Amino acid sequence: MATENATATGGAGTDTASARLMKLFEAHRLTPTQRRIAHCLVRRAADAPFLSSVEVAELAGVSQPSVTRFAVALGFDGYPALRRHLREVAPAAVPQGRPAADSHNEYQEAVQAEIENLRHLAALLADPAPVARAGALLAASRPLPVLGLRAAAAQARGFGYFAAKVHPDVRLLDEGGSMLADRVDAAVRAGATALLCFALPRHPREVVDALEYARSAGLTVVTVADSAFAPVAAHSDVLLPAAVGTGLAFDTACAPMLLGRVLLEAMCDGLPDAQARLEEFDAKAAAQGLFVE
């Protein structure tokens, strides 16, 4: 969630109010509808403590019960309690003419938040041992199942697409349902020793169940998740955290995607013929004219 320009929200003092609202909202995992309400309140930070639930619903384009559920999700008994809290924490107005502390709009704030996520990931990678260990586990698994459902499916597909260029047998598991356990069993029968999972919020229950099943089948589970405290943590042997951005209605996953590419690099280090496979692919692609140069 992000701050609008002071001119867009009705006053220079709004930036401080917006920051306080963002701090309140970002401490909770909100649904897309609830984030829409939160974005509305941030944009109308100066007015938020005085808006009724009906007015908030109209401004956000949601139902009035959704506003009530939003307040409850933040830990309040209902919207009136949330509004009282907003009035208590509303800051005094900044003197007229004083420049706003932050003039970023909500889109820029979302980008800035992702930049911070990448900085945090860079700091974590100062110790390369966990990624190196994970890469070695994945490189040694034949086949290599890669799991990612719902929001994480795109991450799993992206990893699987590139991994298949250097690994002899990558098996993408991006659909849930009753067949998922069968596909895990098939990978184990074929010789798999490890499974890579991308797990992003909101975490589907079937991902947790799938990881529990995979471990019971003897697979070592490597997971890229949004947090070390994600629900999948208890079912992972190696957990690699990379935060997602929550500043927009839907999560952004730049850090998990980059961590997936770093993990690919570590996996290549454990595959002696990785470079030869890449060169073979490039030669075939050139012969077939696959790419426009």
Side-chain angles (χ1 to χ4, degrees):
M1 284 151 290
T3 309
E4 293 261 348
N5 291 340
T7 55
T9 52
T14 310
D15 281 342
T16 303
S18 296
R20 294 192 181 190
L21 287 179
M22 285 189 290
K23 185 176 181 180
L24 170 64
F25 299 151
E26 289 176 346
H28 301 269
R29 169 60 58 182
L30 303 176
T31 68
T33 296
Q34 290 166 353
R35 289 184 194 174
R36 187 170 182 173
I37 298 168
H39 293 163
C40 174
L41 292 176
V42 168
R43 288 194 296 269
R44 300 294 296 270
D47 304 326
F50 311 102
L51 296 173
S52 69
S53 60
V54 173
E55 290 172 324
V56 172
E58 291 178 350
L59 289 169
V62 301
S63 67
Q64 190 275 336
S66 293
V67 177
T68 299
R69 288 192 291 270
F70 168 73
V72 172
L74 296 178
F76 298 94
D77 293 334
Y79 182 76
L82 170 59
R83 186 167 63 174
R84 285 194 298 271
H85 176 76
L86 296 181
R87 289 177 178 176
E88 291 171 1
V89 301
V94 176
Q96 190 68 26
R98 181 177 174 178
D102 187 353
S103 60
H104 290 157
N105 61 43
E106 62 181 309
Y107 309 124
Q108 291 174 302
E109 287 289 352
V111 173
Q112 291 295 329
E114 283 288 32
I115 291 172
E116 287 305 312
N117 287 341
L118 292 174
R119 287 198 179 103
H120 183 62
L121 176 59
L124 289 176
L125 292 175
D127 177 10
V131 170
R133 179 193 172 202
L137 289 169
L138 301 180
S141 184
R142 304 282 198 286
L144 172 60
V146 179
L147 173 65
L149 303 183
R150 293 184 180 266
Q155 305 295 327
R157 288 191 205 104
F159 182 95
Y161 172 78
F162 290 111
K165 297 183 184 302
V166 294
H167 191 286
D169 191 355
V170 178
R171 302 191 181 184
L172 180 62
L173 309 179
D174 62 349
E175 295 182 0
S178 60
M179 294 290 290
L180 186 53
D182 293 345
R183 297 176 71 188
V184 170
D185 285 337
V188 172
R189 286 195 300 270
T193 55
L195 176 146
L196 172 62
C197 174
F198 287 88
L200 301 178
R202 303 171 66 187
H203 295 276
R205 182 178 299 277
E206 58 188 337
V207 169
V208 176
D209 294 341
L211 294 189
E212 185 176 9
Y213 185 82
R215 292 182 82 193
S216 71
L219 294 178
T220 299
V221 173
V222 176
T223 303
V224 173
D226 60 300
S227 166
F229 304 101
V232 294
H235 306 284
S236 303
D237 297 289
V238 180
L239 185 96
L240 304 172
V244 300
T246 59
L248 302 174
F250 298 98
D251 286 342
T252 51
C254 294
M257 182 186 70
L258 181 55
L259 181 53
R261 299 299 186 270
V262 170
L263 195 51
L264 269 170
E265 187 76 9
M267 191 178 77
C268 286
D269 292 339
L271 293 168
D273 57 348
Q275 186 59 40
R277 285 178 177 273
L278 285 175
E279 291 175 0
E280 180 183 3
F281 172 80
D282 286 340
K284 288 182 177 179
Q288 298 171 17
L290 291 182
F291 304 110
V292 178
E293 300 298 337

